[in-house]
Coordinates of all heavy atoms in Angstrom, one line a residue:
Q183 N 86.4 -5.9 51.0 CA 87.8 -5.5 51.4 C 88.7 -6.8 51.3 O 89.8 -6.7 50.9 CB 87.8 -5.1 52.9 CG 87.2 -3.8 53.2 CD 87.5 -3.5 54.7 OE1 88.6 -3.9 55.3 NE2 86.6 -2.7 55.3
T186 N 89.6 -7.8 47.8 CA 90.5 -6.9 47.2 C 91.9 -7.1 47.8 O 92.9 -7.2 47.0 CB 90.1 -5.4 47.5 OG1 88.7 -5.3 47.2 CG2 90.9 -4.4 46.7
M187 N 92.0 -7.2 49.1 CA 93.3 -7.4 49.7 C 94.0 -8.7 49.3 O 95.2 -8.8 49.3 CB 93.3 -7.2 51.2 CG 93.0 -5.8 51.6 SD 93.2 -5.5 53.4 CE 91.6 -6.0 54.1
K188 N 93.1 -9.7 49.1 CA 93.7 -11.0 48.8 C 94.2 -11.1 47.3 O 95.0 -11.9 47.0 CB 92.6 -12.1 48.9 CG 92.7 -12.8 50.3 CD 91.7 -13.9 50.5 CE 92.1 -15.1 49.7 NZ 93.3 -15.8 50.2
T189 N 93.7 -10.2 46.5 CA 94.0 -10.3 45.1 C 95.0 -9.1 44.6 O 95.5 -9.2 43.5 CB 92.8 -10.3 44.2 OG1 92.0 -9.1 44.6 CG2 92.0 -11.5 44.3
Q190 N 95.1 -8.1 45.5 CA 96.0 -7.0 45.0 C 97.0 -6.6 46.2 O 96.6 -6.7 47.3 CB 95.1 -5.7 44.8 CG 94.2 -5.8 43.6 CD 93.3 -4.6 43.5 OE1 93.7 -3.5 43.7 NE2 92.0 -4.8 43.2
Q191 N 98.1 -6.3 45.8 CA 99.1 -5.9 46.8 C 99.1 -4.3 47.0 O 98.7 -3.6 46.1 CB 100.5 -6.3 46.3 CG 100.9 -7.7 46.6 CD 100.8 -8.0 48.1 OE1 101.4 -7.4 48.9 NE2 99.9 -9.0 48.4
P192 N 99.3 -3.9 48.2 CA 99.3 -2.4 48.5 C 100.4 -1.8 47.7 O 101.4 -2.4 47.3 CB 99.6 -2.3 50.0 CG 99.5 -3.7 50.5 CD 99.7 -4.7 49.4
P193 N 100.4 -0.5 47.4 CA 99.3 0.4 47.9 C 98.0 0.2 47.1 O 98.0 0.0 45.9 CB 99.9 1.8 47.6 CG 100.8 1.6 46.5 CD 101.4 0.2 46.6
L194 N 96.9 0.2 47.8 CA 95.6 0.1 47.1 C 94.5 1.0 47.8 O 94.6 1.3 49.0 CB 95.1 -1.3 47.1 CG 95.0 -2.2 48.3 CD1 93.6 -2.0 48.8 CD2 95.3 -3.6 48.0
A195 N 93.7 1.5 46.9 CA 92.6 2.4 47.4 C 91.4 2.0 46.5 O 91.4 2.2 45.3 CB 93.0 3.8 47.1
V196 N 90.3 1.5 47.2 CA 89.1 1.1 46.5 C 87.9 1.6 47.2 O 87.9 1.8 48.4 CB 89.0 -0.5 46.3 CG1 90.1 -1.0 45.4 CG2 89.1 -1.2 47.7
L222 N 88.4 1.8 51.2 CA 89.5 1.1 51.8 C 90.8 1.7 51.2 O 91.0 1.8 50.0 CB 89.4 -0.4 51.5 CG 90.6 -1.2 51.9 CD1 90.7 -1.4 53.4 CD2 90.6 -2.6 51.2
L223 N 91.7 2.1 52.1 CA 93.0 2.6 51.7 C 94.1 1.8 52.4 O 94.1 1.8 53.7 CB 93.1 4.1 52.0 CG 94.5 4.7 51.8 CD1 94.9 4.8 50.3 CD2 94.5 6.1 52.4
I224 N 95.0 1.1 51.7 CA 96.1 0.4 52.4 C 97.4 0.9 51.8 O 97.6 1.0 50.5 CB 96.0 -1.1 52.1 CG1 94.6 -1.7 52.4 CG2 97.1 -1.9 52.8 CD1 94.4 -2.0 53.8
D225 N 98.3 1.3 52.7 CA 99.6 1.8 52.2 C 100.5 1.8 53.4 O 100.1 1.4 54.5 CB 99.5 3.2 51.6 CG 100.6 3.5 50.6 OD1 101.7 2.8 50.6 OD2 100.5 4.4 49.8
K226 N 101.8 2.3 53.2 CA 102.6 2.4 54.4 C 102.2 3.6 55.2 O 101.8 4.6 54.6 CB 104.1 2.5 53.9 CG 104.6 1.2 53.4 CD 106.0 1.3 52.9 CE 106.5 -0.1 52.5 NZ 107.5 -0.1 51.5
N227 N 102.3 3.5 56.6 CA 102.0 4.6 57.5 C 100.6 5.2 57.4 O 100.5 6.5 57.5 CB 103.1 5.7 57.3 CG 104.5 5.1 57.5 OD1 104.7 4.4 58.5 ND2 105.4 5.5 56.7
I228 N 99.6 4.5 57.1 CA 98.3 5.0 57.0 C 97.8 5.2 58.5 O 97.9 4.3 59.3 CB 97.3 4.1 56.2 CG1 97.7 4.1 54.8 CG2 95.9 4.7 56.4 CD1 97.7 5.4 54.0
V296 N 92.4 -0.6 59.7 CA 92.2 -2.1 59.4 C 93.0 -2.9 60.5 O 94.2 -2.6 60.7 CB 92.7 -2.4 58.0 CG1 92.5 -3.9 57.7 CG2 91.9 -1.6 57.0
L301 N 94.6 -7.9 58.1 CA 95.6 -7.7 57.1 C 96.3 -9.1 56.9 O 96.5 -9.5 55.7 CB 96.6 -6.7 57.5 CG 96.1 -5.2 57.5 CD1 97.2 -4.3 58.1 CD2 95.8 -4.7 56.1
K302 N 96.6 -9.7 58.0 CA 97.3 -11.0 58.0 C 96.5 -12.1 57.2 O 97.0 -12.8 56.3 CB 97.6 -11.5 59.4 CG 99.0 -11.2 59.9 CD 99.3 -12.1 61.1 CE 99.4 -11.2 62.3 NZ 99.4 -12.0 63.6
C304 N 94.5 -11.7 55.0 CA 94.4 -11.4 53.5 C 95.8 -11.4 52.9 O 96.0 -11.0 51.7 CB 93.8 -10.1 53.3 SG 92.1 -10.0 53.9
G305 N 96.8 -11.8 53.6 CA 98.2 -12.0 53.0 C 98.9 -10.7 53.0 O 99.8 -10.5 52.1
I306 N 98.6 -9.7 53.8 CA 99.3 -8.4 53.8 C 100.1 -8.3 55.1 O 99.5 -8.5 56.2 CB 98.3 -7.2 53.6 CG1 97.7 -7.3 52.2 CG2 99.1 -5.9 53.8 CD1 96.7 -6.2 51.9
D307 N 101.3 -7.9 55.0 CA 102.2 -7.9 56.2 C 101.9 -6.6 57.1 O 102.1 -5.5 56.6 CB 103.6 -7.9 55.8 CG 104.6 -7.9 56.9 OD1 104.1 -7.8 58.1 OD2 105.8 -8.1 56.7
P308 N 101.3 -6.8 58.3 CA 100.9 -5.7 59.1 C 102.1 -4.9 59.7 O 101.9 -3.8 60.2 CB 100.1 -6.3 60.2 CG 100.4 -7.7 60.2 CD 101.0 -8.1 58.9
T309 N 103.3 -5.5 59.6 CA 104.4 -4.7 60.1 C 104.9 -3.7 59.0 O 105.6 -2.8 59.3 CB 105.6 -5.6 60.4 OG1 106.0 -6.4 59.3 CG2 105.2 -6.6 61.6
L310 N 104.5 -4.0 57.7 CA 104.9 -3.1 56.6 C 103.8 -2.1 56.3 O 104.0 -0.9 55.9 CB 105.2 -3.9 55.4 CG 106.5 -4.6 55.3 CD1 106.7 -5.4 54.0 CD2 107.7 -3.7 55.5
Y311 N 102.6 -2.6 56.3 CA 101.4 -1.8 55.8 C 100.4 -1.6 56.9 O 100.2 -2.4 57.8 CB 100.8 -2.5 54.7 CG 101.6 -2.6 53.4 CD1 102.3 -3.8 53.1 CD2 101.8 -1.4 52.6 CE1 103.1 -3.8 51.9 CE2 102.7 -1.5 51.5 CZ 103.3 -2.7 51.2 OH 104.1 -2.7 50.1
S312 N 99.7 -0.5 56.8 CA 98.5 -0.3 57.6 C 97.4 0.3 56.7 O 97.7 0.6 55.5 CB 98.8 0.7 58.7 OG 99.4 1.9 58.2
G313 N 96.2 0.4 57.2 CA 95.1 0.9 56.3 C 94.0 1.4 57.1 O 93.8 1.2 58.3
C314 N 93.1 2.2 56.4 CA 91.9 2.7 57.0 C 90.7 2.3 56.1 O 90.9 2.1 54.9 CB 91.9 4.2 57.3 SG 92.0 5.2 55.8

Side-chain angles (χ1 to χ4, degrees):
Q183 285 189 33
T186 311
M187 290 191 277
K188 267 186 73 69
T189 51
Q190 294 173 41
Q191 274 306 301
L194 57 90
V196 292
L222 172 74
L223 171 69
I224 310 276
D225 205 343
K226 287 182 176 150
N227 301 318
I228 296 299
V296 182
L301 290 174
K302 260 197 254 169
C304 300
I306 294 176
D307 183 350
T309 60
L310 287 179
Y311 293 104
S312 53
C314 65

